[in-house]
Amino acid sequence: MLCFVGLLILAILALVSARYRPLAREALDCVFRRVTLRRCTTGLDKRLKAMVTGRLVASHPGAARFLHRHLEAVAWLVVVLVVGSTANLGYGLYNYYRYGNCQGSTGTGFCVFDPSGMQSRGSGLVTGHRGEAVKPGDGGNPALGPAGARLTIIEFGSYTCPYTRASEPVVREIVRQHADEVRLVFRHFPLDGMDTLGAGAATACDDSSSGPPRRPAAPAGAPDAHAGATRAAVAAGCAGVQGRFWEYHQRLAATPDAIVTRGGLVELGRGLGVDEAAFARCLEDPAMRARVRRDFEDGVAAGINETPTFFIDGSAVVAPSPKELGDAVDRALGAQRR
């Protein structure tokens, strides 16, 4: 492993100074021999060990003795770190290409490009889906924008997810900026899992006002942080039956407390010209719940386990920052115009 680490260092030094190039070639030959299960005959590994420990003997004799005994183990540790960092870098690049964020389909965890996790955030749900992902259509859901738009954005979101709610003004602004070219379709992916998942299956959102929302995993037996998500989606569909989907959709995004009770959902429709009696009956209509379930199941089939997820020109963009979402739309429109 000393030759491998030496190759990494000497290869970099050889780029700036010709004096290190013979050593870099010698290190390459040594590494090739070790990879092909042959001994390194140049003695480079011993010389590297002597160089490292020799420089430390005068100033740090204890460190020199330690390295003399354990330099091979230290070299192994460096190699493992290099390989792990390279793999993480490749994983991050793939996620940016495939999902539009650092962390991939879950949108959580460390990312070399975004270690704070502040740029790409969303709320997750364990669906258990193992089949091949299918690109979703618009499901016949209400659309914002012209029917003949160049680009259709399909958003899967949940009204109990603060990240879905926070994306609402961003998406509206994108549609406004590209009024003649972009069409938005909202499809429901309620994070209570249509009541099919047990407690603790969802990843909770901390929507506290003291700081940015986080996503700690809900412990087993904990109350579902997304209870009422399906009920809110049904209410939005009921408003849509009366031609008021987008107005009601905006109110749900702006007033999450109304999702808690049935009465709150009815109250939210007041002032929109909604027939309250018909709306209240619709909330109990199994057919409307089935429409929401269709959206949810289409989302599961598309491989979604995070909200909000946007499908832009067929490609999934998961829990993007405003800039990531805007850039994805601009790229897709650019491709459509060519």
Side-chain angles (χ1 to χ4, degrees):
M1 282 300 111
L2 285 178
C3 288
F4 184 83
V5 175
L7 176 61
L8 294 177
I9 298 171
L10 292 169
I12 295 172
L13 293 174
L15 294 175
V16 296
S17 176
R19 62 179 290 196
Y20 294 104
R21 289 171 189 169
L23 287 173
R25 284 193 291 269
E26 188 177 347
L28 179 61
D29 178 71
C30 183
V31 169
F32 179 74
R33 286 177 174 274
R34 295 299 297 269
V35 169
T36 54
L37 304 180
R38 293 181 292 169
R39 291 176 58 86
C40 181
T41 58
T42 65
L44 179 63
D45 51 347
K46 295 179 181 178
R47 279 183 284 142
L48 289 173
K49 188 174 185 178
M51 288 171 59
V52 173
T53 57
R55 290 178 180 274
L56 290 173
V57 167
S59 56
H60 300 87
R65 286 193 297 270
F66 176 84
L67 284 177
H68 185 77
R69 293 183 189 135
H70 305 291
L71 192 57
E72 185 72 17
V74 172
W76 270 103
L77 178 61
V78 171
V79 169
V80 169
L81 290 174
V82 169
V83 172
S85 299
T86 303
N88 190 276
L89 177 65
Y91 179 68
L93 289 171
Y94 169 77
N95 286 336
Y96 262 119
Y97 172 77
R98 175 67 178 82
Y99 300 107
N101 71 48
C102 246
Q103 294 88 357
S105 62
T106 63
T108 60
F110 173 81
C111 173
V112 68
F113 301 113
D114 180 22
S116 68
M118 295 299 294
Q119 296 301 313
S120 301
R121 295 174 292 176
S123 300
L125 180 70
V126 180
T127 65
H129 179 66
R130 294 292 182 269
E132 184 177 351
V134 178
K135 291 181 181 179
D138 61 18
N141 285 26
L144 193 65
R150 289 179 185 271
L151 181 68
T152 295
I153 302 172
I154 299 175
E155 176 186 0
F156 281 83
S158 173
Y159 293 115
T160 58
C161 172
Y163 308 103
T164 297
R165 296 196 300 271
S167 71
E168 172 66 14
V170 178
V171 179
R172 287 294 185 113
E173 180 60 19
I174 289 174
V175 173
R176 187 194 67 77
Q177 290 177 355
H178 305 283
D180 297 327
E181 297 183 292
V182 169
R183 174 174 171 260
L184 171 68
V185 176
F186 186 88
R187 301 197 65 179
H188 302 288
F189 196 78
L191 288 178
D192 56 9
M194 296 293 298
D195 304 324
T196 59
L197 296 178
T203 302
C205 292
D206 177 7
D207 196 19
S208 65
S209 58
S210 59
R214 301 289 183 183
R215 296 184 307 277
D224 186 355
H226 299 289
T230 297
R231 182 172 58 239
V234 168
C238 290
V241 170
Q242 300 191 40
R244 293 291 184 268
F245 174 81
W246 290 106
E247 296 92 331
Y248 195 84
H249 171 84
Q250 281 190 293
R251 289 193 176 188
L252 279 172
T255 320
D257 290 344
I259 296 172
V260 175
T261 65
R262 183 178 182 277
L265 293 171
V266 173
E267 178 68 27
L268 211 58
R270 289 187 179 140
L272 295 181
V274 172
D275 182 328
E276 290 187 23
F279 182 84
R281 289 194 298 272
C282 180
L283 289 177
E284 307 302 327
D285 188 354
M288 184 56 67
R289 185 180 175 87
R291 287 173 60 177
V292 173
R293 178 174 289 279
R294 180 195 61 194
D295 277 4
F296 178 77
E297 290 177 348
D298 283 356
V300 171
I304 294 173
N305 57 8
E306 185 87 359
T307 59
T309 292
F310 299 86
F311 284 85
I312 301 173
D313 202 19
S315 297
V317 182
V318 184
S321 67
K323 185 179 185 304
E324 288 170 338
L325 183 59
D327 288 348
V329 171
D330 289 342
R331 285 194 301 270
L333 283 174
Q336 291 285 342
R337 291 168 186 150
R338 286 198 290 270

